[in-house]
Amino acid sequence: MKKDAPRKRDKSVGLPSREQILEFVASSTGKVGKREIARAFNVKGADRIPLKQMLKAMAEEGVLARDEGRKLRRAGDLPPVTVIEITHRDMDGELVARPLEWTDETPAPTIVVTPEPHKGRVAERDAEPPAGIGDRVLAKLTRTTDADETYDYEARIVRRVGKGAERILGLFRENSEGGRLVPVDKKLRNEFEIARGDTADAKDGDLVLAETVPGKRYGLARARVREVFGKSSDPKSISLIAIHTHGIPDRFPDSVIAEADVATAQGIEGRTDLRDIPLVTIDPVDARDHDDAVWAAPDTDPKNEGGVVVIVAIADVAAYVRPGSAMDREARKRGNSTYFPDRVVPMLPERISNDLCSLREKEDRACLAVRMVYDAQGNKRSHEFVRGLMRSAARLTYRQMQEAIDGAPDDKTGPLLEPVLRPLWDAYKTLCIAREKRGPLDLDLPEYKAELDRSGRIAAVRIADKYESMKLIEEFMIQANVCAAETLEQKQTKLIYRVHDAPSREKLVALAEFLQTLNIGFPKGQTVRPANFNKILGEVDGTEYDQMVSTVVLRSQAQAIYSPDNIGHFGLNLRRYAHFTSPIRRYADLIVHRALVSANRFGKDGQSDEETSAMAEIAEHISMTERRSMLAERDSNDRFIAAYLEDRIGAEFTGRISGVTRFGLFVRLEETGADGLVPISNLGAEYFHHDEAGHALIGERSGLTFRLGEQVKVRLEEAVPVTGGLRFEIVEGGKEGKPAGRHGRTSPGRSGGKGFRRPPTKPGRAPEKGSRGKPKSGRKGKR
């Protein structure tokens, strides 16, 4: 049966037009071939030869395509009933699918699954569960006609036909029957069997991406290798493990690359000319993004004596990445860039991030800039946004800037010192007056940096350099972010805030109880401010408790997230705050840029209606992608350092206890910042109680106490690069204390948590007080 088929031609009319054939093919639900087209358009006899030639030409041109069953269809179209695989949910929570089989060279059409109709309680009780991610289903497809629709097809499920393959990253272990897959994800405990024909020529020890296949009812599950990344010992494999384990998209679709490649540089039309202002970029020496530039000068307004003017200019990413475009959809999906020691997984293609939106020295670049005026006490008097064209006067590093200010300029900073750098420094010092009065949370924990050799292996790990010039850029960026939030609120334009809630009551109570063990008071019942934490940090500064207290204070804080609802930023002690200064690497900033474009009427490439209505979903999604990237970066660092330490098994290191749990201690090495586990069974033969409030493990008989933040010496017993796990044994450390007792009383009024007893090495004979037993063979550190 044919739906809305074109009318058959009259005998006196020639062959059907190409448009008529395409319309007929698209509207037909049954088999469509040369015979059906000839019958529909009354093509007979010798006329069938030119019809056949026309259809062949249309197929060669890619206008028509042929399925395996020889059925014709429009190229890029799907059959009205076909098997699809559900891959994920979109920002609105709808299921998204792809064709199970797609052989065209064009990108596969996008499909959204429409909800199944309500069947009533009786029918629902007997029905199978609704389809979900990973399922393969037979579906009826309807092509969408709305120009604003995100998807090419809507699908209504007919029935489920099976579960899709699950992809697993792991190590390939070769054997006589083919091999086995050992997953790198520690949550997947079982190995997978790989048949000889499914190895994809992987070699023993290769890191591979495999997918599950239907297998035997009993025994090991089966998998087939889909991609081979090379030896797991290759340092390049370390980041790949983190990327695939955490599901970070690392390949741009062809449509995104194509869209980026045709983008052209923005000119001066419709923009404010800022090219005569000597804006400079100041970044780490190995910075991969250069999207912000700064300038400052004394205010010449006689009514603002001692005041300063600051300009922060940010790459105008919104001019190139338009709402709803292929680049925009991919950027939203990624949420942010992810940084590893050996690579970056960018949010945007290189053509945008490293070219058109990189504020290169001496080259014209489109920007969104804010001009801010402050009084002599660092209080903001006014600000104004402009959409401009700038030309960076110089690309500098933090070190260059700092050395120039400290009296050691180089050939590049020397000529810039008085006209550019000194005014920047003076403006920063002015803003510091107001910052000091505002009193944001002032945590100062060491950051570690891995240095790679030419092969990609870690050559050294050191504490990262800290310069006050970093604080200069940080303060200018904070002020620009505040201005963005204020402007959008004043213009009544929707935005995504960067919010940071105050610590929860439970965390504050736990912090107060911990500080009590150090005889430090902390208000539990009153409203806390960052100043309360800063006071405590000041009390312990320079003491043996410095890092311990800083760590506990940090863990008491809530996590900052993105939200369309403003609750302020507790850590910065600001009433409103929005990320504006890094649109190359954060989607939140791109959203704010578009909002500013719309609010200030800078152009027609601002916020879209779809974006405005989806703010809550976007904020939730990019908060998730930020957490995902943080975990992937941390896992990658752990694996790199485990590989670095693999050759130093048996070496001794100085470290500090960074975590106390029921199952043991985590120790952070001072040399590398690496965290590893000391299992509780390695602490000695006696029973150790977990004092949760005091962040300590306490021996039941001896009173030997291991407390968070204390210095210890450990021996490296095991390093596993694939998982990033390190296992230590205590060599020196622990302090004499009051025995926990058999009932686990670890502090007044509190009962100790569970402990673990390690049996004595010889029956009937316990080690002497404070002695250390050897770890069990083959036990791995737990992360």
Side-chain angles (χ1 to χ4, degrees), residues 284-288 341 446-452 458-465 637 641 671-673:
V285 66
D286 57 350
R288 292 155 176 169
E447 295 180 15
Y448 290 84
K449 182 177 180 60
E451 296 178 347
L452 306 184
I458 292 186
V461 180
R462 60 179 179 82
I463 295 178
D465 295 326
N637 287 335
I641 293 177
E671 179 182 326
T672 62

Side-chain angles (χ1 to χ4, degrees), residues 6 262 288 332 422 531 538 540 631 724:
V262 299
R288 292 155 176 169
R332 184 188 293 193
R422 188 73 66 188
V540 299
L631 290 171

Side-chain angles (χ1 to χ4, degrees), residues 648-677:
R648 300 177 68 182
I649 302 296
E652 295 182 357
F653 301 88
T654 299
R656 287 188 180 273
I657 298 173
S658 59
V660 180
T661 69
R662 295 186 301 108
F663 52 82
L665 305 171
F666 285 103
V667 174
R668 179 167 299 158
L669 304 185
E670 292 183 356
E671 179 182 326
T672 62
D675 279 301
L677 177 69

Side-chain angles (χ1 to χ4, degrees), residues 554-575:
L554 176 63
R555 291 175 182 174
S556 72
Q557 304 302 307
Q559 185 169 4
I561 60 170
Y562 294 106
S563 173
D565 302 316
N566 183 30
I567 60 171
H569 197 293
F570 177 83
L572 293 174
N573 202 13
L574 292 168
R575 294 179 62 185

Side-chain angles (χ1 to χ4, degrees), residues 530-763:
N532 298 117
F533 295 103
N534 291 340
K535 181 176 180 294
I536 293 166
L537 295 170
E539 286 182 29
V540 299
D541 187 27
T543 71
E544 61 177 315
Y545 304 117
D546 188 346
Q547 285 197 18
M548 181 195 330
V549 173
S550 293
T551 300
V552 178
V553 168
L554 176 63
R555 291 175 182 174
S556 72
Q557 304 302 307
Q559 185 169 4
I561 60 170
Y562 294 106
S563 173
D565 302 316
N566 183 30
I567 60 171
H569 197 293
F570 177 83
L572 293 174
N573 202 13
L574 292 168
R575 294 179 62 185
R576 56 189 61 81
Y577 191 67
H579 274 166
F580 155 75
T581 54
S582 293
I584 282 179
R585 62 186 179 91
R586 293 187 306 222
Y587 194 76
D589 303 54
L590 180 55
I591 291 283
V592 170
H593 273 236
R594 289 176 181 154
L596 288 166
V597 168
S598 296
N600 292 286
R601 300 183 180 179
F602 287 149
K604 296 181 180 179
D605 49 353
Q607 232 174 37
S608 67
D609 292 339
E610 183 274 333
E611 195 170 74
T612 303
S613 61
M615 285 289 186
E617 292 83 0
I618 294 173
E620 183 179 357
H621 173 71
I622 60 180
S623 294
M624 178 278 293
T625 62
E626 180 185 51
R627 291 191 298 271
R628 178 179 68 184
S629 291
M630 289 172 61
L631 290 171
E633 290 166 358
R634 188 183 306 160
D635 284 357
S636 177
N637 287 335
D638 288 346
R639 291 185 174 99
F640 266 104
I641 293 177
Y644 174 61
L645 295 175
E646 191 176 18
D647 296 333
R648 300 177 68 182
I649 302 296
E652 295 182 357
F653 301 88
T654 299
R656 287 188 180 273
I657 298 173
S658 59
V660 180
T661 69
R662 295 186 301 108
F663 52 82
L665 305 171
F666 285 103
V667 174
R668 179 167 299 158
L669 304 185
E670 292 183 356
E671 179 182 326
T672 62
D675 279 301
L677 177 69
V678 179
I680 201 167
S681 58
N682 289 7
L683 296 180
E686 67 178 314
Y687 192 96
F688 277 81
H689 291 268
H690 179 214
D691 178 5
E692 188 175 354
H695 294 270
L697 289 177
I698 304 173
E700 183 179 83
R701 292 181 294 99
S702 67
L704 184 65
T705 301
F706 297 93
R707 190 181 297 277
L708 182 73
E710 289 180 349
Q711 192 174 76
V712 292
K713 181 177 283 188
V714 295
R715 180 185 299 112
L716 179 61
E717 296 291 328
E718 186 177 41
V720 187
V722 171
T723 63
L726 299 175
R727 180 167 57 83
F728 300 129
E729 181 181 6
I730 296 283
V731 176
E732 292 179 13
K735 294 184 177 179
E736 300 296 331
K738 183 179 179 181
R742 294 194 176 275
H743 297 289
R745 304 294 290 183
T746 58
S747 60
R750 288 186 61 84
S751 175
K754 273 190 178 180
F756 292 81
R757 185 192 301 276
R758 182 186 175 210
T761 54
K762 292 184 180 180

Side-chain angles (χ1 to χ4, degrees), residues 13 33 67 126 414 509 618 628:
V13 181
D67 291 333
D126 300 324
V509 169
I618 294 173
R628 178 179 68 184

